[in-house]
Amino acid sequence: MKTVLLRMFLLIAVFLTFSQIVQAEENHNQDGKVVYQIHYDYEPIYNLLKVSQKEYDQYWKEGLSIAEMAKKQGISRRDLEGYIVSLHHKEMQKWRNKGALSESGYFDLVYRLKEDIKEFIDRNPNK
């Protein structure tokens, strides 16, 4: 049973990885540098959490963070973090390949990524 659930989770993760899951925007600051921002498409996050938008919204109203929702749904924090990291990695590679993100800018983002992800998944909607 555990093996079947693991295989299902991996299949869902692969599916989500290949779907359109994030959209990034280019913003320019006063120096003309590109500022990396990522806007999450929540549909794949609902799928990862195995909840509908209505259930997600209800959990959010109850004050649950994404990490708490994942735990409630039996998804480990490590798997959740890995999923979000893969979203960022894919998007940052696109930016690097088109020249919009310099090497130093890339490594600066990688350095800050853990804290950004922690803040995103632990965000308490009631604060």
Side-chain angles (χ1 to χ4, degrees), residues 88-98 106:
H88 279 276
H89 179 262
K90 182 178 173 184
E91 196 60 35
M92 288 189 304
Q93 290 304 317
K94 284 185 206 174
W95 283 51
R96 287 179 77 192
N97 291 338
K98 67 181 182 179
Y106 171 79

Side-chain angles (χ1 to χ4, degrees), residues 1-10:
M1 182 70 169
K2 189 175 183 180
T3 305
V4 172
L5 290 175
L6 180 60
R7 286 182 182 165
M8 285 178 49
F9 177 74
L10 290 174

Side-chain angles (χ1 to χ4, degrees), residues 102-113:
S102 69
E103 195 74 9
S104 63
Y106 171 79
F107 284 105
D108 180 56
L109 288 172
V110 169
Y111 178 75
R112 292 183 294 138
L113 194 56

Side-chain angles (χ1 to χ4, degrees), residues 25-73:
E25 289 183 358
E26 291 182 36
N27 290 325
H28 299 276
N29 66 18
Q30 292 176 344
D31 298 330
K33 295 179 183 176
V34 174
V35 177
Y36 173 83
Q37 288 184 339
I38 190 165
H39 295 277
Y40 294 96
D41 178 1
Y42 279 82
E43 194 65 39
I45 293 174
Y46 306 149
N47 292 335
L48 174 71
L49 296 173
K50 303 173 197 145
V51 297
S52 66
Q53 179 179 355
K54 186 176 180 178
E55 291 169 307
Y56 178 92
D57 292 343
Q58 183 59 41
Y59 283 152
W60 192 254
K61 274 176 106 172
E62 293 171 11
L64 295 178
S65 67
I66 292 173
E68 291 167 328
M69 291 180 211
K71 184 177 181 179
K72 187 171 185 147
Q73 295 299 112

